[in-house]
Amino acid sequence: MSNPKPEPSPPPPPPPFDPTKPSLPISYPIKTLQQLESRSYFDSFHYPFNKATFPIQNGSFGLPNRRRMLVCHDMGGGYLDDKWVQGGTNSDAYAIWHWNLIDVFVYFSHSLVTLPPPTWINTAHHHGVKVLGTFITEWDEGRAACDTLLSTKESAQMYAERLVELASALGFDGWLINMEVNLDKGQISNLKEFVNHLSITMHSAVPGSLVLWYDSVTIDGKLDWQDQLNEHNKAFFDICDGIFVNYTWKEDYPRLSAVVAGDRKFDVYMGIDVFGRNTYGGGQWNANVALDVIRKDDVSAAIFAPGWVYETKQPPNFETAQNSWWGLVEKSWGLLRNYPGVLPFYTNFDQPLLQLADPTDSIQVLVDLKESSYFGGGNLTFVGSLEEHAYFERKIFQGEFLLSELPIHFVYSVKSNGNSSLGLKLEFTSSNNKNMSILLASEAANKFSNKFSKIITVREQKNISPGWVLNESIVARNGYTLKEIHAVCYRSDHNDSTVASPSDYSAVLGHITIKPLGYKPDFPASKSWLVDGEYIKWTSGPQGSKILNVKLSWKLEDGNDYYIFPSYNLYLVKLSKEEEYSNQGTTIEHVKEYLGVAHVTCFYVSDIEVPSGISCLKFIIQACNDDGTIQEFDESPYYQLEVEGS
């Protein structure tokens, strides 16, 4: 008998995470009070990469004086695909694109201090949505933390100030406080001091910020969820900006809570657990049942764990199920926020607004984030059936752009099959409530002239990007407000024998830019920047190659350290010794390898393989402006690095 083969030994466990050591930047929480008190987070390698750079539009203003929608993102413990702040590899990662329904977004995990990843902050801020982190204490570990936190009035104030410092430095808008432990009654005065000091200091540091209390510990120190606002938790409600009510409430609790809140009823957020764990109405595909009651009693709603759609793989696919689920929410809730009206405006549909779809429509509209786009982001795809003399329109944007004396320049990109054509309908209103609709389209749309106030023929530019047509037009409507944009599907006049059926329709909208006429982005010259490389590490690779890790950072030479551009594209050019000397000062003709996008003024290049024979690396940092324009390669700053031992 032969001896059995020994079982292979398991691979060694990875070394413990050391935030001070260089590695691919991630977002991560703070797990202990000692880490919070010591401010060690600010000494981590990852801190500079986790700053949100997009300030919230109209962020210094408070919340609207109406019922509001809060969404609490609790999914798989948090920090999954979204932890990779320079972008991940999962094209099917969870996302939200129904921001027009949301007023407040909370990032949640079960760590002591949950810091929202900057990807969520930047995206929410683009849509005018406030973002909160979470401070939570639970189980024995949480009780021990509370004993330290609440030991004195001074300790309560100090930890509150540490939380304010984090929110202010990382660019988010406040905190949800969730004390899920039993406390001694004698600790309540310091707990109130913690909440009060956090609220006051947060408001001072970040105008328009929020501190919300979760319905957990009562004023007697008992962990006893009330499922409503009442005399047992109102003392906390009175010293912060609102309460997130536990989700096991009964039908009359929203009404009773509104009575207790008085003129602050909109600061009461009734919880709905989408997983349906003892939640009113059962959650899941019946979450709208709870929303109907909340709407009727005119208080606010807090949707907990909408990632249920993604986690449970609702059929037929995530995008369709997500749109269907949020469609139920929209139909029940009945409130849509306007996109903040700030020009220039640019969208490549990586986070689009789409009107609630009707499955019986002849044209179906899809958000496509996978196929090649005009310039990054996603596409809006319009497919279906359309007769020759018919047109179909669908709202894709709702906002408030007040137009001044300067005419407005519209640019949008379209790719279409056969004689399928796509235009934009602009809905305007004046101060005296006069409405006007303008269609931007080709001359073929003139047959619909009686359907619109005016039709403006666009100027078409072809052969800019394969298959795409760039459409441009100028609109002057001084004193009017642009309220809505609709995509309009119609037929051009030429026939195309390649179309399978005369009624088949297929067109793609790639981007929209709106900016004042004559607006030009101001890109600092290459020599205005200081670019540096740190944490340079070379290791040996296969076949004589080398592997490089390096942190790149850049700033303006004049010392200005403020937010300048929303993003930067990073490219790499690899040069041999001959190329290095023959092309000093330029790299434009060489192959540029795309490395990724940075939303801060630093980027970590990880595990780049440099073949033997390459003597020099040139890292190009290309600034991207708010209107979608990008800096020319010739004028972009760069960092040049000699290959070790070349």
Side-chain angles (χ1 to χ4, degrees):
M1 296 176 63
S2 60
N3 293 326
K5 291 183 179 179
E7 291 290 331
S9 57
F17 172 62
D18 184 349
T20 65
K21 297 292 178 61
S23 63
L24 271 177
I26 63 168
S27 183
Y28 65 95
I30 294 172
K31 297 188 175 182
T32 68
L33 279 182
Q34 191 278 329
Q35 292 169 352
L36 176 62
E37 181 179 355
S38 69
R39 304 177 71 251
S40 62
Y41 180 84
F42 295 106
D43 297 323
S44 75
F45 175 80
H46 303 266
Y47 162 59
F49 299 92
N50 275 279
K51 296 179 182 180
T53 52
F54 195 90
I56 186 171
Q57 301 298 306
N58 302 326
S60 60
F61 298 101
L63 290 168
N65 187 32
R66 55 158 173 77
R67 55 188 164 84
R68 307 160 195 142
M69 177 73 73
L70 178 150
V71 167
C72 189
H73 179 55
D74 173 43
M75 194 174 81
Y79 301 103
L80 302 175
D81 292 302
D82 51 14
K83 77 177 180 181
W84 302 108
V85 298
Q86 290 185 172
T89 58
N90 181 12
S91 60
D92 295 316
Y94 178 76
I96 289 176
W97 54 87
H98 298 81
W99 294 101
N100 57 314
L101 287 163
I102 304 171
D103 298 289
V104 181
F105 177 83
V106 179
Y107 194 77
F108 183 91
S109 80
H110 289 277
S111 294
L112 180 74
V113 180
T114 300
L115 302 171
T119 47
W120 282 111
I121 305 172
N122 287 330
T123 301
H125 280 185
H126 267 283
H127 295 266
V129 176
K130 297 182 187 295
V131 178
L132 309 184
T134 304
F135 182 82
I136 186 172
T137 58
E138 52 188 351
W139 313 113
D140 293 341
E141 186 179 1
R143 174 60 201 259
C146 283
D147 289 342
T148 302
L149 169 71
L150 307 175
S151 58
T152 65
K153 177 180 177 180
E154 290 73 23
S155 65
Q157 292 179 344
M158 181 269 290
Y159 286 112
E161 289 166 7
R162 292 290 190 271
L163 293 178
V164 170
E165 182 183 32
L166 283 164
S168 179
L170 296 178
F172 60 95
D173 310 293
W175 295 97
L176 171 68
I177 305 301
N178 187 359
M179 313 296 281
E180 298 226 31
V181 292
N182 283 296
L183 298 175
D184 296 332
K185 194 166 184 179
Q187 294 175 303
I188 296 302
S189 62
N190 286 339
L191 176 57
K192 290 170 66 177
E193 180 63 32
F194 172 70
V195 176
N196 184 60
H197 192 68
L198 177 61
S199 300
I200 292 172
T201 313
M202 194 74 235
H203 295 162
S204 175
V206 181
S209 58
L210 303 172
V211 174
L212 301 182
W213 175 259
Y214 190 80
D215 164 31
S216 49
V217 169
T218 68
I219 201 67
D220 298 316
K222 296 178 181 177
L223 179 56
D224 188 7
W225 300 271
Q226 300 298 295
D227 301 324
Q228 61 183 304
L229 177 64
N230 60 20
E231 70 275 13
H232 299 294
N233 53 29
K234 187 173 183 293
F236 302 111
F237 174 79
D238 290 340
I239 55 177
C240 68
D241 299 296
I243 185 170
F244 184 145
V245 174
N246 191 50
Y247 42 75
T248 56
W249 45 268
K250 308 269 191 259
E251 185 170 358
D252 59 343
Y253 285 12
R255 178 184 60 81
L256 295 173
S257 299
V259 172
V260 175
D263 60 2
R264 288 189 61 199
K265 66 178 181 178
F266 300 139
D267 295 336
V268 176
Y269 299 82
M270 302 300 296
I272 303 170
D273 178 19
V274 182
F275 277 83
R277 294 163 286 205
N278 298 316
T279 202
Y280 181 84
Q284 301 185 14
W285 290 103
N286 293 314
N288 54 310
V289 173
L291 282 172
D292 289 342
V293 175
I294 295 170
R295 185 194 68 234
K296 175 178 66 69
D297 293 324
D298 205 24
V299 293
S300 294
I303 293 179
F304 187 77
W308 169 83
V309 176
Y310 182 88
E311 287 191 80
T312 59
K313 296 180 169 57
Q314 293 297 299
N317 55 64
F318 170 58
E319 182 180 297
T320 303
Q322 173 96 320
N323 284 333
S324 298
W325 189 86
W326 281 99
L328 292 173
V329 171
E330 179 180 336
K331 189 174 182 180
S332 170
W333 195 238
L335 283 174
L336 293 175
R337 275 190 317 98
N338 288 324
Y339 187 92
V342 180
L343 292 179
F345 168 79
Y346 169 78
T347 178
N348 58 9
F349 305 114
D350 55 354
Q351 290 290 332
L353 160 73
L354 280 180
Q355 187 181 31
L356 184 60
D358 183 344
T360 65
D361 285 343
S362 62
I363 301 288
Q364 292 298 303
V365 188
L366 308 172
V367 182
D368 188 343
L369 299 174
K370 295 182 179 180
E371 290 301 317
S372 60
S373 56
Y374 176 73
F375 186 72
N379 298 315
L380 292 189
T381 302
F382 301 79
V383 292
S385 175
L386 190 67
E387 299 304 321
E388 182 178 356
H389 296 291
Y391 75 91
F392 170 86
E393 67 176 76
R394 176 83 175 276
K395 183 169 71 173
I396 58 174
F397 175 81
Q398 179 171 312
E400 285 189 350
F401 289 122
L402 177 61
L403 305 191
S404 61
E405 294 179 3
L406 280 178
I408 303 300
H409 185 198
F410 284 82
V411 185
Y412 62 98
S413 54
V414 174
K415 181 190 290 186
S416 60
N417 293 337
N419 62 353
S420 302
S421 293
L422 189 66
L424 296 181
K425 172 188 171 185
L426 314 176
E427 291 277 6
F428 295 94
T429 185
S430 66
S431 56
N432 59 358
N433 294 323
K434 181 181 177 182
N435 296 322
M436 173 180 291
S437 64
I438 295 178
L439 177 64
L440 308 182
S442 65
E443 290 182 0
N446 288 330
K447 55 193 169 189
F448 306 120
S449 58
N450 62 329
K451 305 292 185 181
F452 305 92
S453 306
K454 185 177 182 180
I455 295 180
I456 298 179
T457 301
V458 297
R459 182 168 67 92
E460 297 181 342
Q461 294 187 54
K462 300 181 179 179
N463 302 319
I464 296 177
S465 182
W468 291 94
V469 176
L470 204 62
N471 302 274
E472 296 187 69
S473 186
I474 306 298
V475 178
R477 284 297 175 267
N478 184 18
Y480 278 78
T481 298
L482 174 61
K483 300 286 286 187
E484 295 180 5
I485 299 177
H486 297 227
V488 178
C489 304
Y490 63 98
R491 295 286 186 189
S492 62
D493 293 331
H494 73 272
N495 293 319
D496 192 326
S497 59
T498 63
V499 178
S501 167
S503 63
D504 283 351
Y505 182 93
S506 176
V508 175
L509 185 61
H511 88 287
I512 299 175
T513 299
I514 311 173
K515 53 188 176 182
L517 188 64
Y519 170 85
K520 290 185 178 179
D522 182 20
F523 291 109
S526 174
K527 62 183 180 181
S528 303
W529 296 89
L530 295 176
V531 188
D532 193 19
E534 303 174 272
Y535 303 100
I536 299 172
K537 180 182 177 183
W538 294 98
T539 55
S540 297
Q543 298 177 333
S545 67
K546 293 184 179 294
I547 306 297
L548 170 67
N549 290 351
V550 58
K551 176 191 172 185
L552 304 174
S553 58
W554 51 95
K555 62 182 180 180
L556 286 173
E557 192 173 25
D558 60 12
N560 284 324
D561 193 24
Y562 48 79
Y563 162 79
I564 302 172
F565 297 102
S567 61
Y568 304 83
N569 292 326
L570 276 292
Y571 293 88
L572 170 61
V573 175
K574 299 172 181 175
L575 297 171
S576 66
K577 183 71 71 175
E578 294 76 16
E579 291 171 326
E580 181 182 354
Y581 285 110
S582 63
N583 285 277
Q584 289 190 7
T586 69
T587 58
I588 305 310
E589 300 304 320
H590 292 88
V591 173
K592 289 174 284 294
E593 179 182 341
Y594 177 70
L595 298 178
V597 61
H599 295 280
V600 289
T601 54
C602 54
F603 187 85
Y604 187 63
V605 179
S606 175
D607 296 335
I608 288 292
E609 184 174 345
V610 182
S612 60
I614 297 298
S615 65
C616 176
L617 303 177
K618 214 164 198 179
F619 297 93
I620 303 173
I621 299 132
Q622 183 185 50
C624 306
N625 214 345
D626 288 313
D627 65 347
T629 55
I630 57 175
Q631 191 167 19
E632 296 291 338
F633 283 117
D634 269 337
E635 301 167 3
S636 297
Y638 62 88
Y639 175 72
Q640 189 162 313
L641 178 64
E642 297 297 319
V643 175
E644 183 183 63
S646 64

